[in-house]
Amino acid sequence: MKYYFGFLMCLAMGANALDQEIVEEILEEIQRVGVECIKETSAAQSDIAELMAKKMPSTHEGKCMLFCFSKHYNMMNDDGSLVANGIESWEKIKNNDAELYEKIVQIHKTCHDSAVIDEDPCETATGLAKCGMEEARKAGLHEQFAEF
């Protein structure tokens, strides 16, 4: 999400083959979920600024923003455990860009299989986000994310 905020933005901004309508839909959803997650986590403006700058969060609240996105996109459960198959949210991409969809599936599998479950689900979500960004970069989804 779809590896969380940065990865979601990567898909929306970097997937040139997607119809503009789908990109706009993804960005609108990210914004809507972001507003919900700010309320849920009490994240500060500085936390949001880090995420918008495509940087991993430095505060617990920022990391919990990633957990909130992970729950919304059915990657993690409320208890911090991983959802076995959390790619359903991206089915709309499958018909529009099957190659991109397959990359997402592979990134999900790689990160899910290598995930380290921390007792703090916000830390787990951050680890998954890092993995997602690294794998997205390796898959050539977006060069802007090399700093991860």
Side-chain angles (χ1 to χ4, degrees):
M1 352 226 271
K2 53 196 199 209
Y3 289 94
Y4 318 101
F5 195 73
F7 181 65
L8 295 168
M9 289 177 57
C10 169
L11 287 177
M13 294 184 305
N16 295 330
L18 288 179
D19 288 341
Q20 186 61 32
E21 190 175 308
I22 292 176
V23 172
E24 288 174 12
E25 184 181 322
I26 292 169
L27 288 173
E28 285 175 15
E29 184 176 1
I30 291 169
Q31 185 176 15
R32 182 182 54 74
V33 173
V35 169
E36 293 173 16
C37 289
I38 290 169
K39 291 176 187 174
E40 181 179 316
T41 63
S42 300
Q45 188 60 41
S46 58
D47 297 315
I48 307 311
E50 280 184 323
L51 293 171
M52 294 298 293
K54 301 168 209 82
K55 299 199 181 302
M56 284 295 141
S58 59
T59 68
H60 190 259
E61 290 80 9
K63 292 174 181 181
C64 288
M65 283 284 294
L66 296 175
F67 178 47
C68 182
F69 270 95
S70 299
K71 292 185 295 182
H72 174 81
Y73 284 101
N74 198 31
M75 299 298 296
M76 293 177 71
N77 296 306
D78 288 338
D79 66 0
S81 61
L82 301 180
V83 174
N85 185 9
I87 58 172
E88 299 84 18
S89 297
W90 296 97
E91 287 289 324
K92 59 186 154 204
I93 291 175
K94 187 176 186 177
N95 292 332
N96 192 257
D97 187 336
E99 184 179 340
L100 175 61
Y101 179 78
E102 289 306 316
K103 287 180 180 181
I104 293 169
V105 169
Q106 185 56 49
I107 291 167
H108 171 81
K109 180 174 178 11
T110 298
C111 294
H112 187 276
D113 291 350
S114 65
V116 176
I117 307 300
D118 193 282
E119 64 184 46
D120 180 348
C122 301
E123 293 293 337
T124 302
T126 301
L128 287 170
K130 286 178 184 176
C131 177
M133 294 306 298
E134 289 171 12
E135 293 301 315
R137 190 181 70 250
K138 288 178 189 175
L141 290 181
H142 208 287
E143 291 179 282
Q144 287 181 338
F145 295 89
E147 67 265 21
F148 282 104

